[in-house]
Amino acid sequence: MSGYLASLEAESIEILREAVALAEKPVMMYSIGKDSSVMLHLARKAFWPAAPPFPLLHVDTTWKFREMIEFRNRIARECGMKLLVHTNHKRKAEGVNPFTYDSDTYTGLMKTEALKQALDEGGFDLIIGGARRDEEKSRAKERIFSFRSPGHRWDPKLQRPELWNIYNARIHPGESIRVFPLSNWTEADIWQYIAAENIEIVKLYFAAMRPVVRRSNQWIMVDDERMPLNLGETPEMKMVRFRTLGCYPLTAAMESTATTIAEIVEETQTARTSERQGRLIDHDQAASMEKKKVEGYF
Amino acid sequence: MGDVLRFITCGSVDDGKSTLIGRLLWESKQVFEDHLSALERDSTRYGTQGDAIDFALLVDGLQSEREQSITIDVAYRFFATPRRRFIVADTPGHEQYTRNMATGASTSELAVLVVNAGKGLQVQTHRHARIVSLLGIRHLAMAINKMDLVDWDQEVFDRIVEEFRPVVRELGFQSFQPIPVSALNGDNITESSAAAPWYKGPTLLNYLEEVDATTDVPDLKFRMAVQLVNRPTHDFRGYCGRIASGQVKAGDRVRVVPGGQETKIRSIVAWQSELPSASAGESVTLCLADEVDVSRGSVLSTAGDPVDLSDQFEARVICLSGHHLVAGRSYLMNLHTAQAVATITAIKHRVDARTGSHEAARALEMNDIGVVNVSTDRAVPFEPYERCRRLGSFILVDRITNETVGAGMVDFSLRRAANIHWQHVDINKQARAEQKLQKPVCLWFTGLSASGKSTIANLLEKRVFAAGKHTYMLDGDNVRHGLNRDLGFTEADRTENIRRVTEVARLMVDAGLVTIVSFISPYRAERELARSRFEAGEFIEVFVDTPLEICEQRDPKGLYAKARRGDLKNFTGIDSDYEPPVSPEVHLRTASEPVEQCVDRILQMLEQAGKREEKAQ
């Protein structure tokens, strides 16, 4: 491992240990993606030979790729960690779905609202998440220990100064702290670390022949029979992979022939678009991520 | 030379810092196409550069600041060249956001100070240079920006550099590199500018790629602050932490501070394996040969050259919050992984951020830098900040709001801490109390002026005295005529007023007396500090809760009328806050409870507390 990756790893492990030392009831968000896989690996290293002393929480919209769910269940078993899965059943029963609802409303209800429900039910005072500062402009200003007022709101003007490696996790009841151990990692670092540590990730990240349809200039994978096809639309088989994973109807695939980690690293280094380009939800409005964050989105 | 450089950009507002970083990201090809198209959209909407691309929009992330065209928080940016990786903290120039600058500087090795060639050195330029120096940065680049607006005039450049050189010397920077640039046009960022043939130095990016940003400090031996004890099973006990300095091998002798016990490193545990050795910067788990007393906040260090331990420090402190840092007030102190209750015992002076001169001060206001004495409620292991950032830096947290209100750097331990020993005495508090057949307590009355504190306290004292107990009353007015005649009514003076009264009350309780304190004492923090000076059960907070309207109607001394007219400043309830107790031992509502009934309730409460104590014994 290069010196730079080793120092990123040491910093993340230090952050995870501080999180556990300072919290009453911590939880780790687990989204099944590559960043979650790296974060989970770091947590296992941080507390070895013990298992990480917190549960994993997955907010399941029920529209994730099938492969993701199989992967999630297997990994949690292998780590010996408790896996909590939360779905916003009320909204699901009301028929909220990613096709007939606009992506803003759908995400607000099935992800943000669902997340707040899960956190309130669990009574967690500290939530570890895999967000990185290089992902998006408003995230570049995020603290490593990020203070949330009651209702999980993020006020960019009320953030605590964060100096050195000293974190202030003191809160009143109802408030919470979100901790981002991957703050200083970039997408390229994540891939290089996955390669160096041989971390298992969902196969969707590797190129394969998959059934896709073309919508708004993006390739959308037809993952199951729930996907309604437009008139004259027939899925075609394309060599594609995903740079980022989410709900399949909202996550665009990219044409690629990268079938190994080395090829992915190579592709990432020459990429001309950011990874969030494949996330349909970010394009809704100019400062959409900032707005979602204020409301409590991860 | 490290393969990563962490640096901070700073300077006065409108000097073009964000544009400079946007340009660095752009030139090092870190800007993705979708970011660029968003940038082009935003440029015409918010941009200040007409139809040309406004690079500042790349880094000014938050919507509100895009609309105001200023940077209001620290943004972290990442870019790389084939030679080096960079982590940039882009920090704001507005004075009220100086705390964010200190945040960015705390994890940086180098600073790029941006100066507007057209405006020259500003107050903020000096302030920021001083803050980065204070935070231990020893390498400074000065990007003299907007050179295009002064026609690339070498005289302008030289004048700024010469004016700044004395500051570089005074602040102890090891290296200083001035570079003339135009962030807007990209001159001397990655490519040498044809516009300035007189400049022979490196471009900004060349400089950043090549500079050796290590600091000349003597190497410290092994030290590691323990973050947590990992004890999954009864036969494994590992101490987790990140090594602050030096190197450690299995078999090395180490000492635990505090405690002083010595033992050997049995093993260095890593993921699914063991390491023969580990060094500064690594996160490890250490197993020790013997059972010793180690917990979070302990420091493991080389046995022959252990870390220092003290409960009295001189430190440089930056005030980060709108609540002033006041001498006599106590805070939670997080110093590496140790936590203590810290009291600022003296503000020695405030440092003028522009000139560096020392000024007398009773309180530090937001963005003030001061040299203070700090005393902690327990001895904590530390290294001077100059020798080790990790073991010499701390934050101060408000005990009630939980805000981070201060950041500090330990300069040295005040040796007298080691030399002050409590006089050993045989006649102690217990002996004095037993002689008087009473349990000494401090009854602390708090409430607005004219709320009825003194009336209730007077009647209470009479009743307690009549029962044959020894009492003493400290009242706001009579103490202010004597002991505290030098104090006024500012926040700092009120704090000192209460501190002195607390100490007097403590001596009275130590003398075995039932001590009644009747002070407005408007701030929760001071009352909590007072409470912390007494043993459990000794301090009884009595909240005399009378609505402001009623107090104002009573107004026996005509003070409210005066305050309303503006003849009396800082009057509690009018133009100075009263923070009601959260959970007082006794809560009296005088609007609905007559004085006698109030006193009865306090006496009952004292009696019950006395009975509980007898049972416990």
Side-chain angles (χ1 to χ4, degrees):
Chain A
M1 203 191 304
S2 75
Y4 181 63
L5 278 184
S7 75
L8 279 178
E9 179 191 74
E11 179 184 68
S12 299
I13 288 175
E14 180 183 26
I15 293 164
L16 286 161
R17 288 168 170 173
E18 284 303 287
V20 165
L22 297 172
E24 294 274 325
K25 197 174 179 191
V27 66
M28 177 177 273
M29 299 300 298
Y30 181 66
S31 74
I32 320 170
K34 61 183 193 312
D35 301 293
S36 280
S37 298
V38 166
M39 186 165 66
L40 178 57
H41 183 75
L42 290 164
R44 296 179 76 185
K45 281 192 153 186
F47 301 101
W48 174 265
F54 41 73
L56 297 172
L57 172 63
H58 180 229
V59 173
D60 192 348
T61 58
T62 72
W63 292 96
K64 301 292 172 191
F65 291 92
R66 284 170 302 168
E67 270 183 68
M68 290 171 70
I69 301 301
E70 289 158 19
F71 182 87
R72 173 193 79 190
N73 296 341
R74 182 167 57 78
I75 292 292
R77 257 198 323 275
E78 286 174 13
C79 295
M81 292 171 74
K82 188 172 176 192
L83 171 69
L84 308 170
V85 177
H86 181 87
T87 299
N88 193 344
H89 288 293
K90 178 168 164 281
R91 298 300 184 185
K92 184 157 171 69
E94 287 168 15
V96 175
N97 69 73
F99 302 109
T100 49
Y101 285 73
D102 66 86
S103 65
D104 216 16
T105 312
Y106 166 77
T107 309
L109 297 174
M110 297 309 282
K111 292 173 97 171
T112 310
E113 188 179 275
L115 172 65
K116 292 186 200 173
Q117 289 167 349
L119 297 180
D120 290 341
E121 276 171 30
F124 302 110
D125 61 336
L126 185 146
I127 304 112
I128 304 164
R132 307 190 321 264
R133 286 171 174 160
D134 83 317
E135 277 178 82
E136 203 273 333
K137 277 193 291 189
S138 75
R139 284 191 170 161
K141 308 209 163 184
E142 183 63 279
R143 302 289 195 267
I144 291 174
F145 275 55
S146 174
F147 174 78
R148 301 299 157 113
S149 24
H152 309 283
R153 288 185 71 86
W154 181 67
D155 183 343
K157 290 184 181 157
L158 267 189
Q159 293 299 299
R160 294 172 175 172
E162 195 169 80
L163 293 95
W164 303 290
N165 307 79
I166 309 175
Y167 305 106
N168 176 2
R170 282 180 65 87
I171 50 169
H172 293 118
E175 297 167 347
S176 59
I177 299 284
R178 293 200 183 170
V179 175
F180 303 106
L182 302 181
S183 288
N184 289 330
W185 294 59
T186 64
E187 188 189 12
D189 300 329
I190 293 284
W191 283 114
Q192 279 162 17
Y193 188 71
I194 287 171
E197 293 283 287
N198 201 16
I199 299 170
E200 190 184 353
I201 49 169
V202 185
K203 293 280 175 287
L204 292 160
Y205 284 113
F206 300 97
M209 295 300 282
R210 297 189 170 98
V212 290
V213 292
R214 192 80 177 154
R215 284 184 183 173
S216 322
N217 242 358
Q218 308 243 35
W219 291 113
I220 302 297
M221 180 170 159
V222 184
D223 192 53
D224 61 33
E225 68 297 339
R226 292 180 297 174
M227 170 121 169
L229 296 176
N230 298 333
L231 202 63
E233 207 175 47
T234 3
E236 54 183 305
M237 296 303 282
K238 276 266 175 205
M239 191 72 173
V240 292
R241 70 175 200 88
F242 294 86
R243 269 178 92 180
T244 169
L245 292 177
C247 297
Y248 78 80
L250 297 176
T251 310
M254 61 187 283
E255 290 184 60
S256 166
T257 55
T259 56
T260 64
I261 299 278
E263 285 167 357
I264 290 173
V265 170
E266 168 73 24
E267 199 180 83
T268 311
Q269 280 168 350
T270 54
R272 292 308 304 152
T273 57
S274 78
E275 61 187 315
R276 297 204 74 87
Q277 173 70 8
R279 293 279 182 112
L280 306 191
I281 60 169
D282 287 355
H283 309 311
D284 302 336
Q285 48 173 288
S288 64
M289 177 61 80
E290 182 187 346
K291 188 162 158 282
K292 286 193 193 70
K293 271 173 65 75
V294 166
E295 289 160 1
Y297 181 71
F298 247 95
Chain B
M1 192 187 297
D3 50 6
V4 58
L5 179 73
R6 286 177 181 247
F7 69 94
I8 176 175
T9 54
C10 44
S12 191
V13 74
D14 283 338
D15 286 346
K17 292 178 306 297
S18 296
T19 308
L20 189 80
I21 297 182
R23 177 63 79 168
L24 276 173
L25 297 176
W26 171 266
E27 299 279 353
S28 61
K29 309 196 172 43
Q30 297 291 310
V31 180
F32 291 122
E33 280 168 13
D34 50 317
H35 288 165
L36 181 60
S37 63
L39 183 62
E40 281 166 352
R41 269 202 314 275
D42 285 354
S43 283
T44 38
R45 188 156 155 206
Y46 303 113
T48 56
Q49 304 300 329
D51 281 341
I53 290 174
D54 184 350
F55 291 101
L57 292 175
L58 262 179
V59 292
D60 287 349
L62 304 178
Q63 200 161 21
S64 55
E65 75 194 49
R66 271 212 302 278
E67 284 154 10
Q68 298 163 24
S69 278
I70 54 159
T71 313
I72 58 167
D73 207 328
V74 190
Y76 294 90
R77 289 283 151 192
F78 307 84
F79 69 97
T81 67
R83 315 211 15 210
R84 228 178 200 181
R85 311 273 325 233
F86 301 94
I87 300 179
V88 192
D90 179 22
T91 60
H94 266 240
E95 187 160 351
Q96 63 268 41
Y97 296 110
T98 300
R99 60 183 204 152
N100 291 324
M101 220 211 74
T103 303
S106 74
T107 49
S108 296
E109 303 152 272
L110 177 145
V112 176
L113 192 54
V114 185
V115 172
N116 182 338
K119 291 186 181 165
L121 302 178
Q122 304 285 305
V123 173
Q124 287 300 310
T125 317
H126 289 96
R127 179 183 284 272
H128 291 169
R130 196 165 294 278
I131 292 172
V132 300
S133 159
L134 179 74
L135 282 137
I137 290 177
R138 292 291 165 264
H139 302 276
L140 186 68
M142 179 177 271
I144 299 179
N145 191 25
K146 307 197 181 184
M147 283 298 293
D148 49 318
L149 299 184
V150 295
D151 301 323
W152 291 92
D153 183 346
Q154 185 179 359
E155 267 183 35
V156 172
F157 176 80
D158 288 345
R159 200 162 54 233
I160 293 172
V161 173
E162 287 321 307
E163 198 187 333
F164 195 68
R165 282 213 190 267
V167 181
V168 172
R169 277 192 295 274
E170 187 216 326
L171 296 180
F173 290 104
Q174 281 171 32
S175 76
F176 173 61
Q177 175 69 59
I179 306 170
V181 302
S182 164
L184 192 63
N185 302 328
D187 293 289
N188 280 341
I189 305 294
T190 54
E191 306 272 329
S192 292
S193 172
W198 46 267
Y199 175 70
K200 306 291 182 217
T203 64
L204 181 59
L205 195 64
N206 283 155
Y207 165 77
L208 293 171
E209 280 181 321
E210 283 170 20
V211 63
D212 175 4
T214 53
T215 307
D216 303 337
V217 288
D219 282 344
L220 273 184
K221 294 279 199 242
F222 167 70
R223 274 118 181 71
M224 184 188 92
V226 173
Q227 289 185 274
L228 51 88
V229 182
N230 192 5
R231 204 179 181 188
T233 56
H234 67 275
D235 56 358
F236 184 91
R237 186 190 263 266
Y239 302 102
C240 302
R242 195 165 178 197
I243 301 175
S245 64
Q247 209 194 22
V248 66
K249 304 187 301 294
D252 280 357
R253 288 202 70 77
V254 291
R255 183 179 293 186
V256 184
V257 180
Q261 287 168 291
E262 278 192 33
T263 179
K264 271 198 304 210
I265 300 284
R266 197 178 67 205
S267 58
I268 304 171
V269 177
W271 171 244
Q272 299 176 338
S273 64
E274 286 185 9
L275 302 172
S277 69
S279 52
E282 290 183 57
S283 283
V284 292
T285 299
L286 301 178
C287 294
L288 303 178
D290 306 293
E291 274 208 18
V292 286
D293 190 9
V294 182
S295 54
R296 178 173 166 85
S298 301
V299 172
L300 300 175
S301 54
T302 300
D305 178 18
V307 69
D308 251 329
L309 183 72
S310 184
D311 58 1
Q312 302 269 344
F313 304 96
E314 182 174 305
R316 285 160 294 163
V317 169
I318 303 173
C319 178
L320 302 170
S321 124
H323 298 288
H324 304 171
L325 291 175
V326 179
R329 195 169 273 186
S330 72
Y331 304 89
L332 287 174
M333 177 198 223
N334 292 12
L335 181 137
H336 50 86
T337 61
Q339 193 177 70
V341 175
T343 307
I344 296 181
T345 52
I347 296 177
K348 302 184 81 169
H349 56 258
R350 180 172 54 211
V351 179
D352 181 303
R354 206 185 72 74
T355 63
S357 65
H358 298 174
E359 300 164 349
R362 295 194 94 140
L364 296 178
E365 296 175 18
M366 176 132 78
N367 295 316
D368 276 354
I369 302 164
V371 173
V372 303
N373 286 351
V374 176
S375 118
T376 52
D377 66 336
R378 73 200 68 169
V380 284
F382 78 100
E383 287 291 343
Y385 186 80
E386 284 285 308
R387 294 184 73 186
C388 182
R389 275 196 199 188
R390 263 183 184 275
L391 298 179
S393 53
F394 60 88
I395 60 168
L396 297 174
V397 176
D398 185 287
R399 300 173 75 180
I400 289 158
T401 65
N402 293 334
E403 264 185 279
T404 303
V405 292
M409 289 141 282
V410 173
D411 284 326
F412 48 82
S413 151
L414 293 167
R415 288 293 165 195
R416 70 163 190 269
N419 300 327
I420 292 176
H421 293 289
W422 289 104
Q423 282 291 316
H424 181 76
V425 282
D426 292 312
I427 310 298
N428 57 18
K429 175 160 63 179
Q430 196 188 346
R432 293 184 203 104
E434 279 170 5
Q435 188 194 40
K436 297 180 181 69
L437 300 173
Q438 67 185 36
K439 175 183 156 41
V441 289
C442 172
L443 286 148
W444 189 288
F445 284 71
T446 173
L448 294 171
S449 178
S451 60
K453 293 184 300 297
S454 299
T455 312
I456 299 169
N458 271 315
L459 184 59
L460 177 73
E461 189 179 18
K462 282 183 195 163
R463 299 266 298 266
V464 175
F465 186 84
K469 307 285 181 197
H470 301 258
T471 63
Y472 196 85
M473 171 131 74
L474 292 162
D475 182 85
D477 290 339
N478 42 35
V479 174
R480 274 193 177 276
H481 286 141
L483 176 64
N484 290 353
R485 65 193 293 173
D486 58 327
L487 299 176
F489 290 87
T490 62
E491 196 178 347
D493 279 1
R494 280 171 182 260
T495 303
E496 175 60 14
N497 181 36
I498 297 302
R499 190 193 68 79
R500 291 185 195 172
V501 169
T502 301
E503 292 305 324
V504 173
R506 207 166 74 95
L507 292 174
M508 297 278 181
V509 168
D510 195 54
L513 301 177
V514 172
T515 311
I516 300 169
V517 176
S518 171
F519 274 75
I520 298 173
S521 43
Y523 306 125
R524 250 175 240 144
E526 272 71 58
R527 296 194 302 266
E528 286 309 308
L529 178 63
R531 181 187 294 278
S532 72
R533 300 292 287 152
F534 291 89
E535 287 172 30
E538 260 179 15
F539 184 87
I540 296 163
E541 189 175 19
V542 181
F543 177 28
V544 183
D545 186 1
T546 308
L548 180 63
E549 308 84 72
I550 298 183
C551 296
E552 210 169 340
Q553 279 165 24
R554 292 178 185 162
D555 203 11
K557 301 171 203 159
L559 298 175
Y560 282 95
K562 255 192 184 169
R564 286 290 182 202
R565 282 199 307 272
D567 295 343
L568 195 56
K569 292 287 173 212
N570 298 322
F571 193 73
T572 303
I574 306 296
D575 58 349
S576 182
D577 287 342
Y578 179 79
E579 300 168 359
V582 180
S583 49
E585 277 78 7
V586 184
H587 189 158
L588 304 174
R589 292 175 182 80
T590 67
S592 55
E593 252 178 314
V595 175
E596 288 75 15
Q597 199 181 317
C598 291
V599 172
D600 285 344
R601 271 181 53 202
I602 299 170
L603 288 170
Q604 277 163 21
M605 196 255 158
L606 281 174
E607 203 172 312
Q608 279 161 8
K611 277 182 189 156
R612 269 202 304 277
E613 186 140 310
E614 274 167 33
K615 252 188 207 163
Q617 285 168 357

